[in-house]
């Protein structure tokens, strides 16, 4: 009997995920990347990994800026799509971030809430371990997570969004330490139900994970402009690790 796929393996691999999030576009990704590479002074000779790259919006832009980039993601469909942009210095691979990396990098990026998906804390920690082991000696990692506190205090329990002719009925709630987004819609004559379940990690909890793998936080930012993090008001929790 085929076992049911975990929510992140099924939802992110659908075309519907990309329809619902089409507003999170290249402009947002490019502004963030520009700020990041100039602040971190990432050198053109550096090799970069965009871990959980999706369709590669950050990888493609980094490569346009002149970097050698690998984009890795669990979603077969996203990687197949991204492959059309490959060249000598841009590659896309299917990879589960719970598995060890097969080469080392100067910078590893994990962007737009691509962390905190797993029921077992040890699997989140394993991801951090893999990142740490996959860095060169003076390498650094960037984790761009949501600011859980702000997300929870602004949680919209129910809404419907009409996008590309699909009525996405969305409910949001907290369950077992996860912020759950349940997405229901009709498409192609079928009812669909998908979930997003992201762990309610705050800075203290992430820091305890980081300590357990020997990572240190070098910088903390609260948005894509790289302004200071404030737990009450910031949209993002962006960590630079070394
Ligand atoms: C919120 S999306 C962000 C995608 C991309 N970073 C972006 O900004 O557009 C999360 C991504 O994590 C990927 N993902 C989920 N579980 C994964 C895993 N175990 N290993 C690798 N990638 C995973 C999904 O397929 C999805 O592309």
């Amino acid at each position: 009997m085929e076992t049911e796929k975990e929510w992140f393996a099924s939802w992110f691999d659908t075309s519907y995920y990309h329809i619902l999030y089409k507003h999170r576009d290249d402009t947002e990704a490019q502004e963030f990347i520009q700020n990041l590479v100039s602040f971190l002074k990432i050198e053109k000779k550096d090799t970069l990994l965009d871990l959980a790259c999706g369709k590669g919006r950050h990888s493609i832009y980094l490569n346009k800026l002149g970097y050698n980039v690998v984009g890795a993601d669990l979603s077969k469909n996203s990687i197949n799509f991204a492959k059309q942009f490959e060249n000598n210095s841009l590659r896309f691979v299917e990879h589960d971030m719970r598995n060890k990396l097969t080469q080392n990098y100067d910078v590893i990026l994990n962007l737009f809430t691509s962390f905190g998906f797993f029921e077992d804390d040890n699997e989140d920690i394993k991801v951090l371990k893999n990142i740490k082991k996959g860095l060169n000696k003076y390498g650094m990692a960037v984790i761009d997570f949501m600011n859980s506190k702000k997300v929870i205090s602004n949680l919209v329990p129910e809404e419907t969004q009409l996008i590309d002719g699909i009525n996405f009925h969305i409910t949001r709630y907290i369950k077992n330490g996860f912020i759950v987004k349940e997405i229901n819609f009709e498409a192609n004559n079928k009812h669909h139900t998908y979930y997003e379940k992201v762990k309610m990690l705050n800075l203290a909890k992430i820091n305890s994970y980081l300590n357990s793998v020997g990572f240190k936080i070098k910088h903390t930012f609260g948005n894509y402009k790289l302004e200071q993090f404030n737990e009450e008001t910031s949209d993002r929790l962006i960590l630079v690790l070394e």
Side-chain angles (χ1 to χ4, degrees):
M1 202 179 74
E2 204 186 335
T3 51
E4 205 178 315
K5 274 191 185 174
E6 290 161 297
W7 72 266
F8 49 85
S10 50
W11 168 234
F12 291 128
D13 204 37
T14 67
S15 55
Y16 306 118
Y17 161 72
H18 294 286
I19 295 172
L20 182 60
Y21 283 90
K22 67 193 278 189
H23 63 291
R24 308 312 293 258
D25 58 5
D26 293 346
T27 320
E28 174 192 68
Q30 292 175 7
E31 183 203 13
F32 179 36
I33 290 298
Q34 263 164 11
N35 294 336
L36 210 53
V37 297
S38 64
F39 182 88
L40 297 176
K41 299 191 173 57
I42 301 176
E43 294 180 42
K44 288 281 144 78
K45 63 170 183 39
D46 287 349
T47 54
L48 280 63
L49 172 67
D50 180 7
L51 187 61
C53 65
K55 282 180 168 174
R57 58 187 180 139
H58 299 96
S59 308
I60 294 163
Y61 187 60
L62 280 162
N63 181 250
K64 277 203 182 117
L65 295 179
Y67 295 103
N68 206 313
V69 185
V70 175
D73 200 284
L74 183 68
S75 162
K76 196 183 196 59
N77 286 328
S78 294
I79 291 299
N80 282 344
F81 177 88
K83 274 187 178 289
Q84 67 184 294
F85 302 101
E86 282 187 334
N87 59 45
N88 286 341
S89 53
L90 176 64
R91 231 167 16 95
F92 288 99
V93 294
E94 266 180 64
H95 173 79
D96 189 323
M97 57 187 164
R98 289 169 291 183
N99 297 334
K100 284 196 183 112
L101 296 168
T102 51
Q103 71 172 87
N104 279 32
Y105 298 90
D106 299 301
V107 181
I108 299 181
L109 307 164
N110 176 270
L111 306 178
F112 193 49
T113 323
S114 300
F115 189 73
F117 294 159
F118 311 116
E119 290 287 335
D120 181 352
D121 286 4
N122 289 319
E123 292 208 300
D124 291 323
I125 293 171
K126 203 189 280 170
V127 172
L128 294 174
K129 247 184 218 157
N130 291 335
I131 294 176
K132 183 142 188 297
K133 281 206 175 130
L135 283 175
N136 289 328
K137 193 163 179 205
Y138 298 106
M140 61 188 152
V142 178
I143 303 226
D144 159 31
F145 196 63
M146 61 180 175
N147 175 10
S148 297
K149 186 158 187 192
K150 188 170 175 197
V151 170
I152 294 163
S153 56
N154 289 292
L155 208 68
V156 178
E158 197 170 348
E159 67 173 322
T160 301
Q161 291 181 18
L162 174 63
I163 307 169
D164 288 0
I166 301 177
N167 263 309
F168 290 98
H169 185 69
I170 297 167
T171 51
R172 297 181 182 85
Y173 48 93
I174 312 279
K175 193 176 173 188
N176 301 332
F178 283 78
I179 300 172
V180 183
K181 184 165 166 180
E182 183 179 329
I183 306 138
N184 279 285
F185 55 93
E186 307 289 331
N188 293 325
N189 301 318
K190 216 180 132 207
H191 185 84
H192 300 260
T193 303
Y194 289 102
Y195 296 90
E196 278 174 31
K197 298 179 191 176
V198 183
K199 212 171 275 174
M200 296 193 309
L201 299 168
N202 60 15
L203 182 54
K205 179 77 178 170
I206 297 182
N207 213 5
S208 73
Y209 286 178
L210 294 171
N211 285 336
S212 75
V213 304
F215 251 143
K216 292 251 168 328
I217 298 178
K218 197 174 177 207
H219 304 284
T220 310
F221 304 113
N223 58 29
Y224 293 143
K225 293 194 173 87
L226 306 189
E227 289 165 340
Q228 209 179 353
F229 175 70
N230 176 310
E231 204 178 32
E232 307 300 325
T233 58
S234 294
D235 288 321
R236 308 296 303 164
L237 171 57
I238 300 165
L239 303 173
V240 178
L241 314 172
E242 58 171 15

